Amino acid sequence: MKSFPMFLRMAGRRVVIAGGGEQAAQKARLVLKTEADLTLLAPTLDPELAELVATGRARHVAGPVTPGSFADTALVFVATGCPGLDAALHALAKAGGATVNVVDQPELCDATTPSIVDRDPVVIAIGTEGTAPVLARQLRARIEQDLAPNLGGLAALAGRLRGAVARTVPKPARRDFWRWVFQGEPRATWTRGAERDAARAIKTAIAAGRAPDAASGGSIALVGAGPGAADLLTLRALRHLQEADVIFYDRLVDPAVLELARRDAERVYVGKSVGACAWPQDRICDLIVASALQGRRVVRLKSGDPVLFGRAEEELAAARKHGLPVEIVPGITAASAAAASLGRSLTERGRTDRVVFSTGACREGDALPDWADMMRPGTTLALYMAAGAAPALRDSLLEHGLAPETVVDVVTSASRAEESCVSVVLDRLGVEQVPAPAIILVRNEKSSASQTRPMPQLAS
């Protein structure tokens, strides 16, 4: 991030626009949304700008321009439409100590103008550091569609009532109160135009000292973070991350996913590495339950889907034992991500009509799964936590008659930047070490053509 995004208070501060034509008028329209004092530097002004001066909205200086013309300013826009003149005015403005934006010359800009979604007092600014203004406008159009035109009015009402909420609603319940206002019935009522009804409901809740549906205790959500890429997170998972008080996360959860969480949420790493027991499951269960019993919203963030090899049953049982509300939020599982990376379906009509999920890592002392028994004709086997299991899988399948030339796909770090996809024949699987985290996909197709299908990439 080369530019630091922030909002500046503009009331009573001086903004100078150097230019008197359409480019200058465009910047003036933006500045006039604020309470800044606007000065226009130009020999002549177009009719729109001249009207601003005539009505007292702006001041016009037609005389010589010097560094002093730009002194004591919050911001300067240079917008004459002439590149040479813009460059000269930029030099004078910098000599006057100003922060400068030169229209269409990003290399001369100390500050760039974002695309703005205006629902005053809700303002969303979208910037690309001058690299892709068309993209910024596209994003703005999309956000404009998602936000009700009257949303700013609800935000303004909330601002006026904030003091009353602070006096009446106990501090531990305030987050739930505002969550109800902006995610519950008041916002829905306000958005459909029944603004008086929404305001009445909010004020009634303030008088009662709580939101109507506010829960008194904490909660636990087992949230699937997906295979890795942050943009594969579900909207429901994102909502839980942004509401969580504390997040307990696994080793394979991508840091980019955690960046989407509420800024002040506590983050607790409870990852388990192969062969290590620093965070045994019973300790994790105790921690998430203890946090929820303190009235906190707990997110147990797991890579992939929490109900697939994610120890979800132990954590569900711990929450229910203490009477805590618990929710499962599904995530995209690694098998789906691996198939997407390979550009291939997990099933194919007439060839594979079932998918079996299995694990390559069992508890110490437990026998390995009977993978050969799973590999009936028409099956795709998706083997999770499979890096160390490759040799055993190969031996088991070969011993039970699967053809040595059967193609096996090995996908490491599916959906992540470091992802790799390799295809090998079965009797070569595990000859070289499989890097973790990996998922292995084996297809035993109904058609004999499965044994001879072309292989675009084979590892030696």
Side-chain angles (χ1 to χ4, degrees):
M1 188 169 66
K2 296 179 180 178
S3 301
F4 184 74
M6 66 186 304
F7 291 91
L8 299 176
R9 293 189 179 276
M10 300 300 291
R13 302 184 70 183
R14 185 166 174 254
V15 174
V16 168
I17 299 177
E22 174 56 25
Q23 281 191 351
Q26 292 172 5
K27 297 304 181 185
R29 292 170 206 146
L30 281 177
V31 173
L32 289 173
K33 291 177 178 290
T34 74
E35 299 176 0
D37 293 335
L38 178 59
T39 298
L40 303 171
L41 301 183
T44 60
L45 302 176
D46 77 0
E48 180 181 355
L49 295 175
E51 180 65 17
L52 294 179
V53 175
T55 57
R57 299 291 303 281
R59 175 171 173 261
H60 180 210
V61 176
V65 179
T66 69
S69 303
F70 304 100
D72 193 27
T73 54
L75 191 60
V76 168
F77 292 99
V78 178
T80 69
C82 172
L85 180 55
D86 281 352
L89 289 167
H90 169 266
L92 290 172
K94 293 306 295 177
T99 298
V100 186
N101 172 278
V102 182
V103 175
D104 292 336
Q105 296 194 54
E107 70 280 359
L108 297 180
C109 291
D110 303 312
T112 55
T113 305
S115 288
I116 295 173
V117 179
D118 185 4
R119 300 288 190 272
D120 185 32
V122 177
V123 179
I124 300 171
I126 305 159
T128 62
E129 298 186 338
T131 61
V134 172
L135 175 60
R137 288 195 292 271
Q138 291 174 349
L139 294 173
R140 173 193 170 189
R142 186 164 183 174
I143 295 172
E144 289 276 12
Q145 295 172 0
D146 291 340
L147 298 183
N150 64 350
L151 179 63
L154 179 59
L157 175 65
R160 294 192 296 272
L161 295 176
R162 187 164 291 276
V165 171
R167 291 188 296 272
T168 308
V169 179
K171 187 173 183 179
R174 286 176 201 162
R175 183 175 293 131
D176 281 332
F177 181 89
W178 291 118
R179 185 181 292 111
W180 168 73
V181 169
F182 289 111
Q183 292 185 359
E185 188 60 29
R187 179 170 175 177
T189 303
W190 187 282
T191 298
R192 68 172 182 261
E195 297 174 358
R196 288 186 179 180
D197 292 342
R200 188 180 302 114
I202 295 170
K203 292 176 182 178
T204 299
I206 293 174
R210 60 187 289 273
D213 58 354
S216 59
S219 62
I220 297 173
L222 309 184
V223 176
D231 57 356
L232 291 180
L233 202 69
T234 67
L235 292 176
R236 187 176 299 181
L238 178 60
R239 175 171 62 81
H240 276 281
L241 284 176
Q242 293 178 343
E243 294 178 358
D245 298 310
V246 58
I247 300 166
F248 296 91
Y249 66 97
D250 282 349
R251 176 174 61 93
L252 296 180
V253 171
D254 194 288
V257 172
L258 289 172
E259 286 295 318
L260 299 173
R262 205 180 87 218
R263 186 174 302 174
D264 58 341
E266 182 182 355
R267 294 156 172 81
V268 181
Y269 173 73
V270 291
K272 295 193 274 297
S273 300
V274 177
C277 298
W279 286 98
Q281 186 59 46
D282 57 353
R283 185 181 175 195
I284 295 173
C285 291
D286 290 344
L287 280 172
I288 63 175
V289 165
S291 292
L293 289 174
Q294 293 170 5
R296 307 173 83 187
R297 292 178 180 263
V298 176
V299 163
R300 175 70 173 98
L301 189 62
K302 299 168 174 284
S303 61
D305 188 297
V307 301
L308 271 176
F309 310 115
R311 300 286 188 90
E313 269 312 313
E314 292 98 319
E315 293 165 358
L316 288 168
R320 290 165 180 161
K321 177 182 177 182
H322 291 83
L324 291 165
V326 59
E327 178 183 355
I328 297 173
V329 180
I332 293 176
T333 191
S336 297
S341 297
L342 292 165
R344 185 178 306 152
S345 176
L346 289 172
T347 59
E348 184 178 353
R349 189 167 56 175
R351 292 176 179 264
T352 54
D353 52 18
R354 72 172 187 162
V355 181
V356 175
F357 296 148
S358 185
T359 179
C362 298
R363 291 183 304 181
E364 186 176 353
D366 285 357
L368 290 174
D370 188 352
W371 298 308
D373 183 62
M374 302 173 188
M375 290 299 297
R376 300 172 185 173
T379 300
T380 297
L381 172 65
L383 193 65
Y384 287 67
M385 296 171 282
L393 175 67
R394 175 198 64 215
D395 295 344
S396 175
L397 297 184
L398 288 175
E399 180 181 346
H400 287 79
L402 202 64
E405 63 270 23
T406 299
V407 175
V408 180
D409 297 305
V410 180
V411 181
T412 301
S413 299
S415 85
R416 296 171 180 258
E418 64 271 23
E419 172 189 273
S420 68
C421 304
V422 177
S423 297
V424 299
V425 291
L426 179 58
D427 65 354
R428 297 290 298 171
L429 179 65
V431 172
E432 295 184 5
Q433 184 175 359
V434 175
I439 189 162
I440 296 176
L441 300 177
V442 189
R443 288 159 58 104
N444 186 13
E445 299 179 356
K446 292 180 179 180
S447 169
S448 60
S450 65
Q451 309 303 328
T452 58
R453 65 184 176 90
M455 295 178 293
Q457 179 186 5
L458 290 179
S460 57

